[in-house]
Amino acid sequence: MFRMADRKAELERKKARLAQIREEKKRKEEERKRREAEEARASKKVPDPSEIERKRIETEQLLKEFGLEEQRRAQAAVPSMVAAEPPGVTQKKAPVSADDRPLPTLARKSLKLSLTDTSVINIPPREKVQYSKETQTIVEVQEKEESEEEIEPIPVVEEPPPDKKEEEEKEEEAQRPQELTDEEKQQILLSDDFQTFFNNSSRVIERALAEEMDIFYDYGGQDLEEREGPEAGSKMSLQRQFNDERWSRYRTVTYLDWSAQYPELLVASYNNNEESPNEPDGVCLVWNMKFKKTTPEYIFHCQSAVMAATYAKFHPNLVVGGTYSGQIVLWDNRSNKRTPVQRTPLSAAAHTHPVYCVDVVGTQNAHNLITVSTDGKMCSWSLDMLSNPQESMELQHKQSKAVAVTCMSFPPNDVNNFVVGSEEMAVYTGCRHGSKAGINEIFEGHQGPVTSIDCHPATGQVDFSHLFLTSSFDWTVKLWSVKHQRPLYSFEDNSDYVYDVRWSPIHPAVFATGDGMGRLDVWNLNNDSEVPTASVTLDMQPAINRVRWHQSGHQVACGDADGRVWIYDIGEQIAVPRTDEWQKFVRTLSDMRANMVDSQDEGGLASARTSMSSSPLR
């Protein structure tokens, strides 16, 4: 109770104190205003009337002393004279400043007025001349019109007032682009948005500048016959050549692959450039066939030579590479980086030897990346995670040493069975799964390392999936069947190493080969099995390391040892199969099989005679 009373009393004291402070402040403010008003009145001094009268009298006395009183009176009389002038005459009076007033003179002449005669001049108005139609001419009309046009008044442009003009100049200066500093420029150049914009824009502009189209091309074939003769359909013609001065010069093409989703894109892998040790060892370039540009669409690289590269079959943006160090690398063209977005570890669980075989097998929903290294290790990977293989196994034949695999191929629509070629001059068949997983059978016949192997695509009326082709350092190409362990036929028309062989994707009896002399051959077994149907030799005769058919079957790409990629058009008479080609190829295979049996029988009889002649007599 007492505390409440004390608190109220304290509040009352504080209120009284605040009121006192406010009153003191108000009093000081009024006193300050009163003092300022007094100072203002003291500063304004009002002149005394008596002082003005005294100064006027002194001035009159000075004028009398100098004799200027008469002059002042005469000047005062001038307004009365001006008022006496006749009406209608006006006289402009300019204001006279203190500087323009005449100096006072001691003597002034008296004014003399006199009468003068006025002359009246009458100026007639401008005569309006009209001409009749008979006297008018075209020239006169034109001259009159020109003169009238010339007399047109020039429009007067009113200048804006100075304030408005300054405002407009300030607005223009504000709208004018400002110069960026070096740091701001560098920051923009290094940003991801600018890199994406620049890369996409440069590709579009490059395509537009390089595009050349023949609008008069005749699709009826008349132009082709005129240029190349009536047999143009049975020849090969060079369409494009790809090479880059920086990225492909002094490198060797190690692999080629066409994109399944974008048929105009071709990826080529290259090994290291010994002339430029500072450049990346491994390079992959994506070339575009659709536009006439001479630079690669995409550039990828890594720190080890790329020995094999392929498009991920069901992922159009991904490129997979096998390297000399054993790493599997993955590039993504959606990324602004040229380096791999994924790579496998260099560990015992993965590859530690060069990888020459890379392939994606399976379907859209279930597919795997299959890789094989030269130490005989086969790994199965998921493209989503390359940190560890899903499966791995050692390829060995009958518990002997590991197979040094150089090439691999899967039959069409088969993810389990495969064939591989080796450095030991032999070919092997194998399985990934089941009781027979690993190497099953061996096929011997080559006299040198096997450089390439390709299973028949088997698209057509008859199933030829049991057939496969191999090439070798022994200068030969051999045709095999998994049903026979001896080659069905040996093609021996080459004079150097044969580095690659590939079946046509649309013709059952056509395949292409490339050798070390720079010769590209196209064979049609239904026409001739002794010599190629068409052949061409590259300029400077560099070795052809890789050959790939386009999925349309009308073009062949080959890569050489000088880093160049050549695209050849195949004539329709070679590339396009007729309806009876499959049956003709069946008969061709039967003849080859019969010849093989005959040669084996002759070889058996010869060996038997040799053994009998060498046996001792009893």
Side-chain angles (χ1 to χ4, degrees):
M1 191 74 178
F2 291 105
R3 288 182 180 177
M4 289 295 293
D6 294 341
R7 188 169 183 78
K8 285 181 180 179
E10 186 180 354
L11 288 173
E12 290 296 332
R13 285 195 302 271
K14 288 183 178 180
K15 286 181 181 178
R17 178 61 180 165
L18 286 173
Q20 184 181 358
I21 292 171
R22 287 195 189 99
E23 289 294 331
E24 185 71 18
K25 187 176 181 182
K26 186 176 180 181
R27 186 180 60 77
K28 289 181 179 180
E29 186 68 23
E30 290 176 354
E31 194 173 304
R32 184 181 61 78
K33 288 182 180 179
R34 181 176 55 78
R35 190 166 55 252
E36 288 178 356
E38 290 177 356
E39 290 177 356
R41 282 196 299 271
S43 63
K44 295 179 180 178
K45 293 181 180 179
V46 181
D48 191 4
S50 59
E51 184 72 18
I52 296 173
E53 185 65 22
R54 185 178 58 79
K55 290 182 178 181
R56 187 181 66 78
I57 293 169
E58 290 178 358
T59 305
E60 291 289 341
Q61 291 176 356
L62 288 173
L63 289 174
K64 287 179 180 181
E65 290 176 2
F66 287 103
L68 298 176
E69 181 66 22
E70 296 295 331
Q71 183 181 355
R72 188 176 65 81
R73 289 177 182 176
Q75 289 177 354
V78 171
S80 60
M81 295 174 63
V82 173
E85 290 182 359
V89 180
T90 60
Q91 183 177 0
K92 295 182 180 179
K93 296 180 180 181
V96 179
S97 62
D99 297 336
D100 296 335
R101 289 173 186 168
L103 296 173
T105 56
L106 297 177
R108 179 178 178 84
K109 294 180 180 180
S110 61
L111 297 175
K112 292 181 180 181
L113 301 178
S114 63
L115 296 175
T116 57
D117 295 333
T118 59
S119 59
V120 179
I121 300 172
N122 188 11
I123 301 174
R126 184 177 179 181
E127 186 179 358
K128 190 173 183 181
V129 181
Q130 294 182 350
Y131 297 93
S132 62
K133 292 184 179 179
E134 288 78 13
T135 60
Q136 264 186 336
T137 60
I138 298 174
V139 177
E140 290 176 350
V141 172
Q142 289 178 352
E143 289 177 356
K144 187 176 180 182
E145 290 177 355
E146 290 176 0
S147 63
E148 289 178 358
E149 290 178 358
E150 291 175 357
I151 298 172
E152 288 183 1
I154 300 172
V156 179
V157 180
E158 295 183 358
E159 292 187 0
D163 296 341
K164 192 174 181 181
K165 194 172 182 181
E166 289 179 1
E167 290 179 1
E168 291 178 356
E169 289 179 355
K170 288 181 180 178
E171 290 179 0
E172 289 179 0
E173 190 172 352
Q175 294 176 357
R176 201 173 297 152
Q178 300 294 327
E179 182 72 20
L180 298 176
T181 63
D182 293 340
E183 293 180 0
E184 292 174 337
K185 292 178 183 178
Q186 195 68 17
Q187 188 176 3
I188 293 174
L189 292 175
L190 296 177
S191 63
D192 291 339
D193 293 340
F194 179 81
Q195 292 290 333
T196 303
F197 162 76
F198 184 77
N199 291 336
N200 295 337
S201 302
S202 60
R203 290 192 197 103
V204 172
I205 298 300
E206 207 169 17
R207 293 170 187 170
L209 292 175
E211 191 66 20
E212 294 179 2
M213 299 182 66
D214 183 9
I215 61 174
F216 300 104
Y217 187 79
D218 182 14
Y219 287 96
Q222 184 176 357
D223 290 346
L224 189 65
E225 291 182 2
E226 290 177 357
R227 288 197 302 266
E228 301 182 6
E231 297 182 358
S234 61
K235 293 182 179 179
M236 291 189 294
S237 59
L238 178 64
Q239 188 201 33
R240 297 288 299 277
Q241 178 188 334
F242 296 113
N243 68 301
D244 189 84
E245 188 68 21
R246 176 185 176 186
W247 294 107
S248 63
R249 191 180 182 187
Y250 303 123
R251 297 179 187 265
T252 300
V253 178
T254 57
Y255 216 83
L256 295 173
D257 190 38
W258 294 94
S259 172
Q261 284 79 7
Y262 303 107
E264 67 270 17
L265 298 183
L266 171 70
V267 61
S269 63
Y270 303 82
N271 66 350
N272 61 318
N273 181 2
E274 296 180 355
E275 299 293 331
S276 299
N278 296 326
E279 294 286 345
D281 285 348
V283 172
C284 271
L285 304 180
V286 177
W287 301 101
N288 196 328
M289 284 282 298
K290 190 174 182 179
F291 303 100
K292 302 296 182 182
K293 52 182 289 189
T294 57
T295 56
E297 191 77 10
Y298 296 101
I299 301 171
F300 305 123
H301 54 72
C302 61
Q303 294 304 315
S304 180
V306 183
M307 310 313 297
T310 182
Y311 271 104
K313 194 176 298 183
F314 306 103
H315 302 273
N317 303 110
L318 303 182
V319 176
V320 184
T323 65
Y324 190 79
S325 65
Q327 270 192 330
I328 307 300
V329 292
L330 181 70
W331 293 285
D332 192 339
N333 62 16
R334 294 168 296 186
S335 173
N336 289 327
K337 297 193 304 181
R338 293 180 175 181
T339 54
V341 295
Q342 282 194 73
R343 66 185 74 205
T344 61
L346 288 173
S347 63
H351 296 295
T352 56
H353 285 68
V355 177
Y356 290 93
C357 310
V358 174
D359 198 3
V360 177
V361 297
T363 61
Q364 174 74 38
N365 298 323
H367 53 272
N368 294 99
L369 171 65
I370 308 299
T371 59
V372 185
S373 55
T374 54
D375 61 347
K377 188 171 187 177
M378 173 180 279
C379 295
S380 175
W381 308 82
S382 171
L383 292 173
D384 297 329
M385 184 180 67
L386 295 181
S387 58
N388 285 301
Q390 292 181 331
E391 298 174 358
S392 63
M393 66 175 178
E394 301 290 337
L395 300 182
Q396 296 177 339
H397 179 60
K398 294 182 179 180
Q399 305 301 320
S400 62
K401 66 177 183 178
V403 176
V405 178
T406 57
C407 50
M408 174 185 66
S409 181
F410 280 82
N413 303 321
D414 195 339
V415 298
N416 187 37
N417 300 305
F418 59 89
V419 290
V420 294
S422 68
E423 295 178 357
E424 294 88 10
M425 303 177 291
V427 179
Y428 301 91
T429 61
C431 298
R432 292 177 55 207
H433 307 108
S435 58
K436 294 185 177 180
I439 297 296
N440 295 329
E441 295 182 0
I442 183 172
F443 296 79
E444 296 179 331
H446 280 295
Q447 304 301 317
V450 180
T451 56
S452 178
I453 190 167
D454 190 34
C455 292
H456 198 284
T459 56
Q461 307 163 4
V462 184
D463 183 15
F464 296 119
S465 60
H466 59 92
L467 299 177
F468 62 91
L469 287 165
T470 59
S471 61
S472 173
F473 280 178
D474 62 2
W475 301 6
T476 66
V477 174
K478 297 188 185 300
L479 175 64
W480 306 77
S481 172
V482 295
K483 301 175 183 178
H484 303 87
Q485 292 187 331
R486 304 295 298 175
L488 297 178
Y489 198 83
S490 180
F491 306 94
E492 301 177 356
D493 187 65
N494 298 92
S495 302
D496 206 319
Y497 297 161
V498 184
Y499 287 101
D500 204 2
V501 58
R502 292 288 159 175
W503 286 104
S504 167
I506 61 173
H507 199 297
V510 171
F511 64 89
T513 63
D515 67 7
M517 298 292 291
R519 201 175 87 177
L520 176 65
D521 296 331
V522 176
W523 298 72
N524 187 342
L525 300 183
N526 288 341
N527 294 343
D528 198 333
S529 59
E530 297 293 333
V531 293
T533 303
S535 181
V536 65
T537 303
L538 305 184
D539 293 340
M540 309 298 292
Q541 297 185 349
I544 297 177
N545 297 325
R546 284 292 172 258
V547 174
R548 281 296 181 278
W549 285 86
H550 191 267
Q551 46 261 51
S552 66
H554 292 271
Q555 293 171 332
V556 170
C558 58
D560 64 23
D562 292 338
R564 294 174 295 180
V565 177
W566 308 73
I567 310 295
Y568 280 92
D569 287 329
I570 308 301
E572 291 188 1
Q573 295 182 15
I574 303 175
V576 181
R578 294 187 292 270
T579 56
D580 61 341
E581 295 289 352
W582 279 264
Q583 297 301 325
K584 287 177 67 175
F585 191 44
V586 171
R587 292 194 293 271
T588 301
L589 291 175
S590 299
D591 294 342
M592 288 180 175
R593 199 172 292 114
N595 293 335
M596 180 191 69
V597 172
D598 292 343
S599 63
Q600 287 179 352
D601 292 343
E602 291 178 0
L605 290 173
S607 61
R609 287 172 185 165
T610 303
S611 61
M612 288 178 63
S613 61
S614 60
S615 61
L617 295 175
R618 294 182 180 177

